[in-house]
Amino acid sequence: MTGRAVEVAAQDGRILQQPPADDSPLAVRGLTVSYGDKPAIFSVDAVVPPESMMAIVGPNGAGKSTLLKAVLGIVEPLSGTVSVYGEPLAKVQERVAYVPQRASVDWDFPTRVIDVVLMGLYRELGLLGWVTGRQRKTAKACLERVGMAEFANRQIGQLSGGQQQRVFLARALAQDADLYLLDEPFAGVDAATEKAIIDVLKSLKADMKTVVCVHHDLATVSDYFDHVLLINVRKIAEGPVATTFTAENLQRTYGGRLATTHIDELRLPAG
Amino acid sequence: MGSEFVQLSLTPILIGVLASIACALPGNFLILRRQALIGDAISHVVLPGIVVAFLITGTVASVPMMLGAAGAAIIAVILIEAIKRLGRIEPGAAMGVVFTSMFAGGVLLLEQSDTSNVHLDVEHALMGNLESLIWFAAEDWSSLVDPAALAALPAELPRIAVVCALVAVLTYLFWRPLKISTFDEGFARSMGIPTTFISIGLVIAAAVAAVAAFDAVGSIIVIAMFICPPAAARLMTNQLEVQLVWSVVFAVLSAVLGYVFAGYGPLWFGGENAVSAAGMIATVSGIILGLACLFGPQRKRIGEAAGL
C-alpha cells in the first residue's frame, strides 16, 4: 500500500495495523460492492496473514458473503482491488478454493456425490478430458478426509444437510488450493459434521494453507480461529482473535443489536 | 412397408424425430435451471419476426428466417425491460405480456399477408406442416442411395438435421462447464468458467433449435419437446448423463409413435381421417411424462427422508 493510502486511511480514522505484505494470501483494498442503491460492502480493506484461519463475523446483511463473492469475482465490485498471493485473482485462480453456502444450490440436481467432488478437478480435466482412475482416486481420498467415502455413489439429494456440507468441503479439497474461502460451513450442520469440518480445516492450516470462513456462531470463534475480521458493511476491525475479538468491537459491529448478556457469555477479555 | 412409406412417411418421421431431439437436449438444462418456459417464450416471440422476414424477402429460406427470429427476440428483450422499468411490473408478468402480444401480432400479420404459395399461415405456425413434407422423388428404399432423389428431399430435412447435429455437438463440447454452472453457478465462476457466456449460449442454442423446428413442425411440438421428454427423463434416473439419454429416447418415441398414431390411430377406431401429427406427437410426449410421473423409478425423491 502506498504512503498516500495510509495517510488517507489515517485521516478517515482507520488505523492500519500493518502495511499489507505483498504476497499475503489475500489482500483487499477499498472494496465496494452495491446491489442497487445501497452498498453491500463499503471500502473494505483487509489482509489475511499466511497460514492463518480467519473468521469473517458480522450481523445479517453485513456483507460477509458479498465480500467473499467479490474476492472471487462472482460479483463485480464497484471499486477496489483484490490481490491473491500478490497477484490479480485471474492469474492465481487455481490457488483458491471456494465453498459456497450449502443452501445456494438445488440438491435435487441429478448427480452423485463422487461427480460433485470431481467438479473440483475441472481445471485439470478441461472441457473434454476423460476422468482417469487417478482422478477418481483423488476424489475418493477427498471424500475419505471428510468421512463420506461410503456415500460416493449416492444421489446428492439423499444426503442430510451435514453430509451435503461435507461433500462441498471435499470438492474444495479436490481443488488442492492454498487459500480456502468458505461461506458459513457450519450453518445448520450436526455436531459430528461440525467436528469433522473443523478437523479438516485445522489439518489444512497444519499443511501451511490459509482458511477464511464466513462464520455466524460467536461462541466458537475463539476455539476455531486465530484471526477475525469484523464487518458491518464497513470494516470494523481485523486482527488476531485474542486482541480483536473483544466485547467493545462486537458492540461496534452489531451496533447494539447484541444483548450485553450474550457478550458476557462469550467471556471475552476486557476490550 | 415399401415405396409408399418412403415417399409419404419417412421424411416427416425423420423431421419430427430430429426436431424433437434438437429441442429436448437443451430442454434438459433449461428445466434444471428453472427456465423451462424459455422454449415456450421463444417459439411465441419469433413468429412476427419470421413473418416480417418472409414479407421482406418473399422466401422461407433459413437465413432470413433466422435473422427475422433473432430480430424479434431482441425486440422482445427490449420490450420486456421497458415494461418492467416504465410500468414497474414484475418480470414474469412483463414477459407474459410481451410473448403473447408478439405472437398475436404475428398471427394478425400472417392473416393479412399473402402467403398462399408457401407453407406459412396461422395453422402452420401452431401445428407445422409435417404431413405435407413428402419426398415426391422417392420410389422406394433404394432412393436413399439415389443422388437424384436425395437432391429432391424436402429442404426442411437437411435444415433440421444440421441444427440437430449442431445442438448435439455443442452439448457434448460444453458438457462439463454446462453441468457445473447449472448445478452451482457461484462455484463455476470461482473456477473461472464463463457462466454468462454459457447461459447465453444455452439460450441461443435453444432458440436456434426452436426456430428450425418451428418452421417444420410448428410451435406446439417445440413447446412440448423442450419440457416433456427432459422432465420425464428426470424421473427415470438420478444422473444427468443418463437423463440426457432418456430424454432423447423419449423424444424419438414421442415423434415416431405420435406420427403413427396420427396417421393410423383414427382408422383403428373407425374414424376416416388422420389427425394432426404435431398435435399427436405433443400429446404422446405428455402421456409419456404422465406415465413417468406414475411409474418412474425416481419419482418419489422429493420429501424422502434424507440420508437415514
Side-chain angles (χ1 to χ4, degrees), chain B residues 50-116:
Chain B
I50 289 177
V51 178
V52 169
F54 167 75
L55 289 178
I56 293 172
T57 63
T59 69
V60 285
S62 315
V63 174
M65 294 291 113
M66 284 287 174
L67 286 178
I74 292 168
I75 292 172
V77 170
I78 294 170
L79 277 178
I80 291 167
E81 264 325 288
I83 292 177
K84 241 168 41 186
R85 296 208 181 154
L86 301 176
R88 295 179 186 277
I89 290 173
E90 58 121 349
M95 284 186 219
V97 167
V98 170
F99 296 155
T100 41
S101 319
M102 287 187 71
F103 188 72
V107 169
L108 287 180
L109 209 57
L110 254 185
E111 220 178 37
Q112 297 305 318
S113 42
D114 175 27
T115 53
S116 48

Side-chain angles (χ1 to χ4, degrees), chain A residues 178-213:
Chain A
D178 294 315
L179 171 64
Y180 288 79
L181 303 175
L182 299 89
D183 199 345
E184 303 238 19
F186 303 109
V189 303
D190 53 285
T193 296
E194 180 147 347
K195 172 88 171 53
I197 292 176
I198 196 65
D199 286 348
V200 169
L201 296 186
K202 286 190 166 159
S203 76
L204 287 174
K205 181 182 148 79
D207 287 343
M208 324 271 274
K209 316 277 190 187
T210 304
V211 178
V212 177
C213 288

Side-chain angles (χ1 to χ4, degrees), chain A residues 123-142:
Chain A
R123 226 185 301 275
E124 195 180 314
L125 286 163
L127 273 189
L128 296 172
W130 289 92
V131 176
T132 62
R134 185 177 59 80
Q135 283 153 337
R136 217 165 274 281
K137 232 171 165 176
T138 307
K140 286 249 172 71
C142 294

Side-chain angles (χ1 to χ4, degrees), chain A residues 74 93 98 100 105-106 108-112 119 122-123 125-129 155-156 158-159 168 171 175, chain B residues 32 34 173 176-177 179-180 182-184 186-187 189-193 234 238-240 243 301 306-307:
Chain A
I74 297 170
Q93 213 146 28
Y98 172 49
V105 305
D106 173 14
D108 191 37
F109 192 86
T111 196
R112 294 170 308 173
M119 288 179 190
Y122 172 70
R123 226 185 301 275
L125 286 163
L127 273 189
L128 296 172
Q155 202 269 328
I156 53 171
Q158 296 168 350
L159 305 176
F168 259 16
R171 181 178 67 177
Q175 289 181 270
Chain B
L32 289 170
R34 305 187 190 284
L173 217 54
R176 201 165 271 149
K179 181 179 174 182
I180 297 177
T182 301
F183 172 58
D184 190 345
F187 177 76
R189 293 191 81 158
S190 80
M191 302 253 288
I193 294 174
R234 177 66 189 92
N238 273 327
Q239 258 183 283
L240 189 54
Q243 178 185 322
R301 65 193 192 280

Side-chain angles (χ1 to χ4, degrees), chain A residues 7 18 98 157 161 192 202 205 223 232 242:
Chain A
E7 208 174 285
Q18 74 269 38
Y98 172 49
K202 286 190 166 159
K205 181 182 148 79
D223 292 339
N232 189 350

